[in-house]
Amino acid sequence: MHTGICPLDPLSITASAIAVATLAAKLCSILAEIREQCTALPGRLHAVNNEIQDLRVVLEQVAAVVKEHKAHNVHGDVESKIPELLWQGRDRLLALQHLLSRVQGVGLRKRELFFRTVLWKKQQGTLAVLQGDIKRVKSSLNVLLGVSNS
């Protein structure tokens, strides 16, 4: 599968990690807006937000490590695995963004909030899968960071 990221170019990896981290931050803002607007939404919203925040922090660490390796002219096998994980993380975050935009698309009037809650409950299975995928990407990147630092 072509990721659009050159695995040998640390600058591309760094830029991609920062771009995915920025997307994660945007999603956290969207989640905060949804929580403010509709308190009847399930607690999974908080868990998803925490997972995305953790991913954002890991992505920032990945960008810093790759940048440091470039500065010291260090190249390793670890960097060849990062682009695919970045692509997977971006893909999952975009899918989550799509799901959240559908939930946000429902209005804020009392009757519409009912439909928003119903729509949200119907999306719980998809949300659980996305949350698991985001957690897996985050964990894999964490492992690669550990290997890179040793």
Side-chain angles (χ1 to χ4, degrees):
M1 176 183 306
H2 179 63
T3 61
I5 304 168
C6 177
L8 301 176
D9 183 4
L11 186 58
S12 293
I13 294 171
T14 302
S16 295
I18 291 169
V20 177
T22 301
L23 176 59
K26 179 180 177 183
L27 284 173
C28 287
S29 294
I30 292 170
L31 286 165
E33 286 175 21
I34 291 173
R35 277 196 320 265
E36 263 182 39
Q37 296 168 355
C38 191
T39 57
L41 293 176
R44 181 175 296 276
L45 202 59
H46 296 289
V48 170
N49 187 66
N50 290 341
E51 208 62 64
I52 294 170
Q53 286 284 12
D54 292 348
L55 175 63
R56 187 184 56 77
V57 170
V58 170
L59 288 165
E60 289 170 357
Q61 291 172 346
V62 165
V65 165
V66 170
K67 188 175 181 180
E68 183 179 317
H69 284 188
K70 180 176 173 21
H72 292 97
N73 214 12
V74 175
H75 299 285
D77 188 38
V78 169
E79 288 163 356
S80 68
K81 296 175 177 139
I82 292 173
E84 181 64 25
L85 289 169
L86 293 175
W87 183 85
Q88 290 173 18
R90 179 183 171 275
D91 183 58
R92 300 293 77 202
L93 290 174
L94 288 173
L96 179 60
Q97 183 179 31
H98 177 71
L99 185 148
L100 294 175
S101 69
R102 288 181 51 213
V103 171
Q104 275 189 311
V106 179
L108 294 175
R109 291 186 299 226
K110 195 170 194 168
R111 181 173 177 218
E112 293 167 331
L113 289 177
F114 171 76
F115 291 115
R116 178 183 280 191
T117 303
V118 169
L119 176 63
W120 184 254
K121 287 181 180 181
K122 285 182 180 180
Q123 297 300 321
Q124 289 302 297
T126 303
L127 185 62
V129 169
L130 290 172
Q131 181 181 359
D133 289 349
I134 290 167
K135 185 175 187 174
R136 184 187 47 73
V137 168
K138 177 194 70 176
S139 297
S140 297
L141 286 169
N142 255 333
V143 168
L144 288 177
L145 282 173
V147 168
S148 172
N149 289 329
S150 64

